[in-house]
Amino acid sequence: MDHFLRKASFSSGSKSIVRIIAIGAASAGLLYLNNNPDSKATVKLSIPTILREHLAFQGHPSFVSSDHWQFGKFPLFLSRVDPALAGDVAKGAPVAVGDGGKPSCGCLGRDFIANAAAKIAPAVVNLSVQQDLNGFTTVRSMCSGTIIDADGTILTCAHGVVDSQGRQLTTKGKIDVTLQDGRTFEGTVVNSDLHSDIAIVKIKSKTPLPTAKLGSSSKLRPGDWVIAMGTPLSLQNTVTAGIVSCVDRKSSDLGLGGMRREYLQTDCAINAGNSGGPLVNIDGEIVGVNIMKVAAADGLSFSIPIDSVSKIIEHFKKSGYNYISLWN
């Protein structure tokens, strides 16, 4: 790490000495005091680069903007430590990052949520299901989805795009798909399964489509950061963040009958319209599909783990992407 060395030469003035010592203590820097009566007294203060931009002397700019100051009665001189030496001394020390840079120490930068959201946002879509009734077009439902293949394959939730009629599923109506960049397409449901609540919608585009990468939900742990994206209450391009509360919340815990399922529980804020949208890790990868929340509580949201979704997608692919099924 690049360090700066501050050197103060003085003959008197205890208050100025105290100021220098206070800066060293507050900045977790290294302070050296030479009080040999046979030589001129000196104070050397070494301050890490991580803090040098945030420190300033009274009446003077920050350390990095000058090579010489008058600090109280003491002239202060700036000299750069040899980079090789500094690197050896501070090897492995945490490094601050700015403007979205990725820290080398494995720490999270200040923009880690924004960066992850920006990575996947172009592939997150809004699905609006419309139906004509007596000459009037009405919106029956609205949900979210994610483009997972450049051929126009969109991953979303089944309850947002299909209806159940006995043992048969039918599409709810015309599906308008809107991308973040404003492009709109007409979507077609090619696969759906109400038990898993997963559906595949296809769109056709003559221009390249953004895609999102599938991650791994098995690597998630309680306390991991996650991001929910989608179109809650028709508010497109909405991003919320939270943590994983539970990685294997059973459907029986939620009072859900039918086939046994496990969900990711998070405290991300989701609402009507978020269903089908992606749950994203800090690398911008899909780790779940947002499905539901507890209406009478805050911070209780649930997603289908992407590892389970991947198995369902493979099953869909074997069927040829050409049928809608109520049963697995």
Side-chain angles (χ1 to χ4, degrees):
M1 182 191 298
D2 192 39
H3 283 69
F4 280 77
L5 184 65
R6 329 293 171 188
K7 181 178 180 181
S9 301
F10 58 89
S11 59
S12 63
S14 59
K15 290 184 178 179
S16 294
I17 298 175
V18 171
R19 290 196 196 104
I20 298 174
I21 295 174
I23 292 174
S27 65
L30 299 178
L31 185 66
Y32 306 91
L33 175 62
N34 180 6
N35 199 23
N36 190 333
D38 298 328
S39 63
K40 185 180 292 186
T42 60
V43 173
K44 296 181 180 180
L45 177 60
S46 179
I47 300 177
T49 303
I50 187 174
L51 296 171
R52 72 175 186 273
E53 295 181 355
H54 303 287
L55 295 176
F57 290 123
Q58 182 178 3
H60 294 282
S62 65
F63 284 163
V64 296
S65 60
S66 177
D67 288 331
H68 178 269
W69 302 277
Q70 184 71 32
F71 187 60
K73 294 184 179 181
F74 312 129
L76 205 63
F77 299 95
L78 170 67
S79 61
R80 185 180 295 273
V81 177
D82 178 67
L85 178 61
D88 291 337
V89 172
K91 186 176 182 180
V95 179
V97 296
D99 301 327
K102 190 172 183 179
S104 61
C105 63
C107 304
L108 295 176
R110 64 181 182 182
D111 298 328
F112 74 97
I113 291 178
N115 291 341
K119 185 175 181 180
I120 194 175
V124 179
V125 301
N126 172 36
L127 293 89
S128 176
V129 182
Q130 301 182 359
Q131 185 178 43
D132 291 329
L133 294 175
N134 299 323
F136 294 95
T137 300
T138 60
V139 176
R140 295 196 61 191
S141 64
M142 186 172 291
C143 59
S144 305
T146 314
I147 304 174
I148 59 173
D149 195 300
D151 66 357
T153 300
I154 297 173
L155 175 63
T156 186
C157 62
H159 73 260
V161 294
V162 296
D163 275 329
S164 172
Q165 297 180 355
R167 295 175 66 89
Q168 298 295 322
L169 294 183
T170 59
T171 57
K172 289 187 174 182
K174 177 185 175 184
I175 301 176
D176 288 333
V177 179
T178 305
L179 275 63
Q180 185 192 50
D181 59 16
R183 286 184 289 171
T184 59
F185 303 89
E186 183 172 345
T188 302
V189 180
V190 294
N191 279 102
S192 181
D193 174 43
L194 276 185
H195 276 300
S196 62
D197 205 2
I198 291 297
I200 296 295
V201 173
K202 275 286 191 74
I203 59 175
K204 295 181 180 180
S205 175
K206 296 180 180 179
T207 55
L209 293 170
T211 61
K213 181 181 178 181
L214 302 185
S216 173
S217 53
S218 64
K219 297 179 181 179
L220 291 176
R221 301 176 300 168
D224 279 346
W225 282 99
V226 284
I227 304 164
M229 302 185 66
T231 310
L233 305 176
S234 302
L235 301 175
Q236 195 163 349
N237 305 324
T238 296
V239 179
T240 62
I243 61 169
V244 175
S245 305
C246 179
V247 296
D248 56 357
R249 179 64 64 203
K250 293 177 175 54
S251 55
S252 58
D253 295 340
L254 305 176
L256 301 177
M259 298 186 66
R260 297 178 61 183
R261 298 285 182 186
E262 289 188 349
Y263 299 93
L264 298 174
Q265 179 184 330
T266 76
D267 67 349
C268 291
I270 67 171
N271 291 280
N274 270 117
S275 292
L279 185 71
V280 184
N281 62 18
I282 60 175
D283 295 318
E285 301 170 337
I286 303 176
V287 292
V289 177
N290 299 318
I291 292 296
M292 58 187 172
K293 62 169 289 187
V294 175
D298 294 325
L300 291 176
S301 304
F302 302 92
S303 307
I304 303 174
I306 199 62
D307 290 352
S308 299
V309 174
S310 295
K311 294 178 181 178
I312 296 169
I313 293 175
E314 287 302 314
H315 174 72
F316 285 164
K317 286 181 178 179
K318 291 178 181 179
S319 71
Y321 275 143
N322 59 7
Y323 78 102
I324 300 175
S325 170
L326 179 61
W327 312 107
N328 280 335

